Amino acid sequence: CGKEMGVDLILGTSGTQDPQSKSSATPGIQESPQPDAFLCGPGDSLGWQIEGSAAAPMDSHHHCSDVEPLQSQEKLHTQFNQSTVKGSYAVDREAHSELLDDLQNSPDLAYSPETWKVNSMPCPSPDYVETNLRQWIDENVPQGLYSRSDLNDYIMTALPIAINLTETLAGEVMPEIELGSCSALSVKWSADRFVGVTSKKSLQLCDKLGRLASLGKIMYELFSGRAPPPRSYEIQAGSLGGLDVGVNKILTLVRDDNPRSKKRSMEQFESGCVDQYHRELILNLKDVGLPVSLIDMVKNLIDCSRRDFRADESYASLDDALVDLKLVRDNPDCFLCGVGNSPTFSISSKLYGRRQVVEKIVKLYGSDDCDGLVVHGRAGVGKSSLLLQVFTHISKRDGSYFLRAKFEQAGVNPLAVIASMFDALCDAFVRDSQPHIRHNVAAELESALGPAGISALLSVTPSVLRIVSSPALGPYDQFMNRAASLSYSFQKLLEIISSHFVPIIVLLDDLQFADISTRMIIMSLLTDTENTPFFVCCYRDDDVKPGDDLSEWLECLHSRDIKTVQVENLSLEGVNMLISESLKAFPRITLPLSVQLHAKTRGNPFFLRRFIDSLVSRGLIFLSLNPPRWAWDLEKISNVEMPVSVVELLVAEMQTLSPELKEGLRVVACLGSSVDKRTMEIILDRLDIDLVAALGELVTRGFLVTDDVSGVRFSHDKVQQSAYESMTYDEQKNLHARLGLILCGQDLLHDDEYGYLLFVAATQVNLGGLDMSLHQSKRVYIGALNLRAGKRAIELSAFDTALGFFQSGTMWVSNCWSADYDLTLALHTSATEIACLLNDLVKVVKFSSEVVANAISYEEKLPCLSYLIKCQAYCGKVSDAKRIAFTVLERLGEAPPREIGEPSLNVDM
């Protein structure tokens, strides 16, 4: 609606198109990258993004037949404006959709993000207040002494005007809007909400670059409150810094047949005047205190007036300018505030370039045909971070409970990870459930498991005691199959709590590091549990080979409704989004750098982040102080030789660290991928060097991450691998031995509260190797430590780990049959028993032979002989088992009912 039809243009604010429509309201405008949208998706206050009053476009304009339909549209429009919240562009998705449907379904009014016109006949105009833009600037721009926050508030108020004007210019088929100065433009308001900009039609045509330059002048005036200074191309004496621009220079330009050198010479010819003008512009904008991003935007727009000789950073289209304006509006902390007063380089933990995979995961999670996910990808692609952020958000949104079990490389006991997860589940259930529900769950657990099953659970998951009481074991419960009982008990615990509790999501991360027995328990949880929680299994492609244990385990999941999701490296667009926000520069500026980094790192997020950190440490990405912004040397970066793998890159980077930081990394690397608080306190207290400050610096540099529960952990297992491989083999052994002896100084033989410290101490001293220089009493103590650690591992059904502890213990007491007979016998007997359980005949023969040769009484030899006979029979050596069995019976004085060698006996045998 206008004073005269076709004279004034009323420009609607930026909006969004009909979700069902495939045509864009603003052709060529790409969606501005929003990292939050990749995780949040259609959340509570997400989805439609509008300024002022927005609505879906319609394809055609219609005639107004009478006043009544228009009044209904006015009512809708007023309702729509009132539904928005001042200062915020987020609108309730459902309410917004209903309003859009009402507006779209009306045959009388075409309402679009670009125009609101009534065709063919004048109609009563809505209740608008129109103000000259220059007048609005004078009334709102900060005056006198003002703070940075005051200026930023004004900029955020002015941005919708700039976006609206740029959107309209980008949608023009033929240039019509007059862009002289802000005095030639007006802004319209309705109910204190910005509606649009109006301008009379231009009487002269202008090409694309001219429109960009004109827009730059409007932006200059809008954001700074000042009119741009007049531009003079007159060459003043001395203004070119001594450059000869006389006849000789002109002749040189004419004779030069090389287009590149001619362009370079012409740039030099004009650079004096142009640079002087740009310097004046920048100085004026700096005096105002305008942020660097807007200074660059205005400069790059006005620079388009140089046409073929404009700088590479100048804008190529109005669409590019619109994208940058929306980035400033939607992410002011990054693109408006810039590097700030205390600039430090950091890379956000946001998800970049993951929209499609996040949408797929969320869709599968909500599908009735999907009971779980198997997520895989190469090392460093960000699987763990992606799943953690996505399902943390889902659990908060849905009120579900999110459990996570992350297995570690060279983990002492993988089953302890599962047990810890169930401990957390029990604690959460007791905390959040009602007393009568806890009573029902306790009764169902006692009925389903019995004393033996509950006892098995309590041995690895102490928090179960908060739900049920400790049972009294019967005379035969001690002979149960602990591994099978524990697997069934975990299954029933999860099943019963799930039926009385909120929905449960279980993330099993880094399954390639779990042992076979742990994966068997996981398989039973996946396949046999009723009221199944939503399981997410994650593993690394690099560590899985066709035909190995994990690949066969994964094959067994195909019978269930478990879907597969692959996480791949970032695309160039995703890399550029990360670089843009990290360097706080517009994506079009960082694109050349992103192309180089994407090619060198192949878009691997972890590799990319570490490589960027190395570039910062080398000074190839640096802070430019005038104006303060991040800059980079693209030529030198392109010449950097890349290592073959991220491990080589990390090792090279670690070599540049100070000795204290190197020592801190190596200590933590020897202890594992994570170290709990108590262990770290003991280590730091006993080492001769101060590692507290070093660990803090390593956290700052991103090598380590602090955790209130577990102390410190590596940011990625590749960091641990790199730190460990930075030492020689002898250095590794010496540091393991040193750490092990420090931890062995604790009273670990009688301290039942911290089983973790027991495992760490025994593991460290064993990795350090047998040291015969130690006093015999110390070696006996280490042997006893291994015996206790092995028995604790058996309680956790970690039989491989238990055998390792027993075997190491026998080495520490190898010459102690006479000095410490009971300990040596116990270690060898336990090793023989577990080796038999694992069907390792070689080790059964080895350890049983030691017992037979050194045990004092025959009764002490019998258990090992029994294990030997069983293992030989299990391994198909029946004749050897018979021979040993008959020998034992003869030695015990037990005559067989029939003589050995009797034909009928041989047939029966």
Side-chain angles (χ1 to χ4, degrees):
C1 302
K3 298 176 183 176
E4 297 177 12
M5 291 304 296
V7 176
D8 285 359
L9 302 178
I10 301 179
L11 317 177
T13 60
S14 63
T16 182
Q17 67 181 59
D18 182 357
Q20 304 300 326
S21 174
K22 295 182 180 180
S23 61
S24 174
T26 308
I29 301 300
Q30 295 182 352
E31 176 188 9
S32 58
Q34 284 302 300
D36 292 342
F38 298 136
L39 174 60
C40 298
D44 296 334
S45 61
L46 303 175
W48 302 94
Q49 295 292 322
I50 69 166
E51 298 77 46
S53 57
M58 297 189 71
D59 295 332
S60 61
H61 295 187
H62 300 272
H63 297 282
C64 288
S65 57
D66 52 35
V67 179
E68 184 62 24
L70 181 64
Q71 289 177 346
S72 65
Q73 293 299 328
E74 280 189 67
K75 183 178 180 181
L76 284 171
H77 180 62
T78 303
Q79 178 186 358
F80 183 75
N81 279 319
Q82 291 174 350
S83 69
T84 60
V85 180
K86 188 173 184 179
S88 173
Y89 299 116
V91 181
D92 180 78
R93 181 186 182 95
E94 182 177 355
H96 190 187
S97 300
E98 293 175 356
L99 287 171
L100 291 176
D101 292 339
D102 290 338
L103 287 168
Q104 282 184 296
N105 294 331
S106 171
D108 302 301
L109 191 64
Y111 192 95
S112 76
E114 295 178 354
T115 58
W116 186 7
K117 304 178 185 177
V118 179
N119 296 322
S120 185
M121 60 177 292
C123 299
S125 62
D127 186 17
Y128 288 132
V129 176
E130 183 174 346
T131 306
N132 180 268
L133 182 55
R134 180 66 252 181
Q135 179 185 348
W136 181 88
I137 293 172
D138 293 337
E139 292 174 353
N140 290 275
V141 70
Q143 304 288 345
L145 295 176
Y146 52 84
S147 65
R148 183 177 295 276
S149 62
D150 293 334
L151 180 60
N152 287 347
D153 290 342
Y154 167 74
I155 291 172
M156 294 302 295
T157 306
L159 272 171
I161 300 175
I163 292 173
N164 171 249
L165 180 59
T166 308
E167 278 185 323
T168 307
L169 293 175
E172 286 185 307
V173 179
M174 292 293 292
E176 295 179 342
I177 299 176
E178 183 177 321
L179 287 179
S181 67
C182 290
S183 300
L185 301 172
S186 297
V187 290
K188 285 186 176 290
W189 303 83
S190 176
D192 295 328
R193 300 293 299 172
F194 171 69
V195 176
V197 180
T198 65
S199 172
K200 291 186 176 182
K201 289 186 177 181
S202 176
L203 300 179
Q204 60 181 19
L205 298 179
C206 185
D207 63 6
K208 179 179 69 174
L209 295 177
R211 299 296 268 179
L212 286 167
S214 299
L215 179 63
K217 294 179 181 179
I218 298 293
M219 299 293 182
Y220 181 101
E221 189 173 355
L222 175 63
F223 292 125
S224 69
R226 303 179 180 181
R231 181 170 182 169
S232 175
Y233 285 99
E234 296 181 2
I235 302 173
Q236 304 295 333
S239 65
L240 302 182
L243 180 64
D244 182 10
V245 295
V247 176
N248 292 334
K249 183 62 180 178
I250 296 175
L251 289 175
T252 301
L253 292 173
V254 172
R255 293 168 182 168
D256 194 348
D257 295 330
N258 189 324
R260 291 187 177 180
S261 61
K262 181 180 289 188
K263 179 179 179 179
R264 186 163 51 249
S265 299
M266 193 62 190
E267 288 176 348
Q268 293 175 351
F269 181 82
E270 290 193 354
S271 62
C273 295
V274 174
D275 289 347
Q276 182 179 353
Y277 180 71
H278 284 170
R279 280 195 295 270
E280 184 178 357
L281 288 177
I282 293 174
L283 286 175
N284 289 344
L285 296 178
K286 284 183 178 179
D287 290 341
V288 175
L290 209 64
V292 174
S293 59
L294 293 185
I295 293 176
D296 290 342
M297 182 184 296
V298 172
K299 177 179 177 293
N300 293 337
L301 283 168
I302 296 179
D303 189 50
C304 292
S305 62
R306 297 174 62 187
R307 302 186 181 279
D308 292 342
F309 302 104
R310 65 189 185 277
D312 293 336
E313 294 81 10
S314 63
Y315 284 97
S317 68
L318 288 162
D319 294 345
D320 292 341
L322 182 60
V323 168
D324 288 354
L325 284 169
K326 288 185 175 180
L327 284 173
V328 176
R329 178 198 67 189
D330 298 335
N331 194 356
D333 290 339
C334 177
F335 296 106
L336 181 62
C337 299
V339 298
N341 297 324
S342 56
T344 55
F345 182 81
S346 63
I347 301 177
S348 173
S349 59
K350 293 179 181 179
L351 298 175
Y352 295 95
R354 296 302 189 194
R355 175 186 291 274
Q356 291 184 349
V357 69
V358 169
E359 288 179 348
K360 182 177 181 180
I361 290 173
V362 173
K363 181 179 179 180
L364 290 172
Y365 172 76
S367 172
D368 294 335
D369 299 330
C370 180
D371 293 335
L373 298 176
V374 173
V375 181
H376 64 100
R378 297 185 65 83
V381 298
K383 304 178 296 296
S384 300
S385 176
L386 171 71
L387 295 173
L388 188 61
Q389 292 192 45
V390 169
F391 285 106
T392 297
H393 172 76
I394 288 176
S395 65
K396 291 180 179 179
R397 184 193 66 185
D398 298 346
S400 53
Y401 194 74
F402 180 32
L403 295 172
R404 184 193 184 200
K406 182 176 177 62
F407 300 97
E408 300 177 357
Q409 189 173 17
V412 174
N413 182 17
L415 187 60
V417 178
I418 296 290
S420 176
M421 181 185 73
F422 278 98
D423 250 340
L425 174 61
C426 293
D427 290 338
F429 173 73
V430 171
R431 182 186 66 240
D432 300 331
S433 61
Q434 297 297 323
H436 70 280
I437 295 179
R438 292 197 294 271
H439 179 269
N440 293 338
V441 168
E444 291 183 31
L445 282 174
E446 291 171 352
S447 174
L449 300 180
I454 292 177
S455 176
L457 273 180
L458 288 175
S459 66
V460 296
T461 313
S463 293
V464 174
L465 200 57
R466 301 181 64 185
I467 302 175
V468 298
S469 57
S470 181
L473 293 178
Y476 300 103
D477 290 335
Q478 59 180 316
F479 301 109
M480 67 181 178
N481 184 326
R482 181 175 293 273
S485 178
L486 191 60
S487 177
Y488 177 78
S489 299
F490 277 145
Q491 172 194 330
K492 298 306 291 185
L493 175 64
L494 186 59
E495 180 181 305
I496 293 172
I497 289 182
S498 296
S499 64
H500 293 275
F501 201 37
V502 298
I504 298 175
I505 304 170
V506 179
L507 171 59
L508 303 168
D509 199 4
D510 282 336
L511 276 174
Q512 71 275 3
F513 297 139
D515 61 1
I516 296 177
S517 59
T518 303
R519 285 201 288 265
M520 289 176 61
I521 292 178
I522 295 173
M523 180 60 71
S524 70
L525 296 177
L526 287 168
T527 56
D528 299 331
T529 305
E530 298 180 5
N531 303 316
T532 308
F534 191 84
F535 282 93
V536 183
C537 302
C538 181
Y539 71 92
R540 182 186 297 169
D541 290 340
D542 313 54
D543 299 326
V544 180
K545 302 295 185 293
D548 64 5
D549 294 334
L550 181 55
S551 62
E552 293 178 356
W553 185 87
L554 294 169
E555 287 291 332
C556 298
L557 296 180
H558 291 171
S559 59
R560 291 183 53 84
D561 292 330
I562 296 179
K563 309 300 181 183
T564 300
V565 176
Q566 183 174 7
V567 181
E568 298 179 337
N569 287 335
L570 294 177
S571 64
L572 175 59
E573 180 185 3
V575 171
N576 196 33
M577 292 167 58
L578 184 149
I579 300 298
S580 171
E581 290 207 5
S582 300
L583 299 179
K584 303 184 185 302
F586 293 125
R588 62 184 181 83
I589 301 297
T590 60
L591 182 58
L593 173 63
S594 299
V595 171
Q596 288 288 337
L597 297 182
H598 182 265
K600 290 180 177 295
T601 63
R602 298 175 292 280
N604 184 282
F606 180 69
F607 201 173
L608 175 66
R609 290 170 182 268
R610 299 313 311 180
F611 184 54
I612 294 174
D613 287 338
S614 70
L615 294 178
V616 174
S617 63
R618 298 184 199 183
L620 300 182
I621 295 178
F622 54 92
L623 186 66
S624 175
L625 297 180
N626 191 20
R629 73 177 86 193
W630 290 106
W632 52 90
D633 192 327
L634 187 59
E635 182 177 357
K636 290 184 178 179
I637 291 174
S638 64
N639 293 329
V640 172
E641 294 185 3
M642 289 297 295
V644 176
S645 66
V646 67
V647 174
E648 291 186 15
L649 174 65
L650 289 168
V651 170
E653 185 178 349
M654 291 172 185
Q655 297 302 326
T656 65
L657 299 177
S658 65
E660 292 79 11
L661 296 184
K662 287 182 184 178
E663 187 70 12
L665 271 179
R666 291 172 176 178
V667 167
V668 182
C670 284
L671 291 172
S673 58
S674 64
V675 186
D676 74 341
K677 283 186 175 182
R678 187 188 183 196
T679 304
M680 185 55 65
E681 289 172 357
I682 295 172
I683 295 295
L684 295 179
D685 184 57
R686 302 297 179 87
L687 285 177
D688 298 333
I689 57 177
D690 182 15
L691 288 181
V692 177
L695 293 177
E697 179 66 18
L698 291 171
V699 170
T700 302
R701 295 195 177 205
F703 291 102
L704 300 177
V705 178
T706 57
D707 191 325
D708 293 337
V709 177
S710 61
V712 295
R713 60 180 173 84
F714 281 98
S715 56
H716 196 275
D717 60 87
K718 289 294 182 183
V719 181
Q720 182 202 3
Q721 179 184 348
S722 304
Y724 194 74
E725 292 181 1
S726 66
M727 298 181 285
T728 65
Y729 177 72
D730 290 338
E731 289 175 335
Q732 293 170 357
K733 288 189 63 177
N734 292 336
L735 186 53
H736 280 305
R738 185 182 179 191
L739 297 175
L741 291 175
I742 289 176
L743 295 174
C744 286
Q746 309 302 305
D747 187 16
L748 299 177
L749 292 179
H750 304 93
D751 187 355
D752 293 327
E753 184 178 357
Y754 293 94
Y756 172 81
L757 189 59
L758 169 68
F759 289 140
V760 173
T763 300
Q764 290 299 310
V765 74
N766 292 337
L767 289 173
L770 180 62
D771 186 1
M772 297 303 296
S773 64
L774 292 176
H775 192 273
Q776 182 175 338
S777 61
K778 191 67 174 179
R779 286 187 277 119
V780 168
Y781 175 84
I782 295 173
L785 194 70
N786 275 283
L787 178 63
R788 187 169 187 268
K791 290 182 177 180
R792 177 59 180 161
I794 292 175
E795 293 175 356
L796 297 173
S797 300
F799 302 114
D800 291 299
T801 304
L803 179 59
F805 285 129
F806 293 143
Q807 188 171 355
S808 297
T810 60
M811 291 190 298
W812 285 101
V813 296
S814 57
N815 297 321
C816 296
W817 279 102
S818 57
D820 204 307
Y821 176 81
D822 292 338
L823 173 61
T824 307
L825 177 63
L827 281 168
H828 283 82
T829 303
S830 298
T832 306
E833 177 186 6
I834 301 303
C836 174
L837 185 64
L838 297 174
N839 291 334
D840 191 338
L841 182 59
V842 174
K843 291 181 179 178
V844 169
V845 172
K846 174 185 175 182
F847 294 122
S848 61
S849 300
E850 283 286 319
V851 173
V852 171
N854 294 281
I856 297 175
S857 67
Y858 200 75
E859 286 73 13
E860 293 171 335
K861 301 177 183 181
L862 281 177
C864 290
L865 290 172
S866 174
Y867 299 139
L868 177 60
I869 294 169
K870 286 182 180 180
C871 191
Q872 285 179 328
Y874 293 154
C875 294
K877 298 183 177 296
V878 180
S879 59
D880 293 339
K882 287 192 299 181
R883 188 178 68 254
I884 297 175
F886 284 129
T887 302
V888 171
L889 289 174
E890 183 180 358
R891 177 67 175 78
L892 293 174
E894 294 288 342
R898 289 178 288 180
E899 292 293 331
I900 298 175
E902 182 178 326
S904 61
L905 177 61
N906 292 335
V907 171
D908 290 343
M909 292 297 291

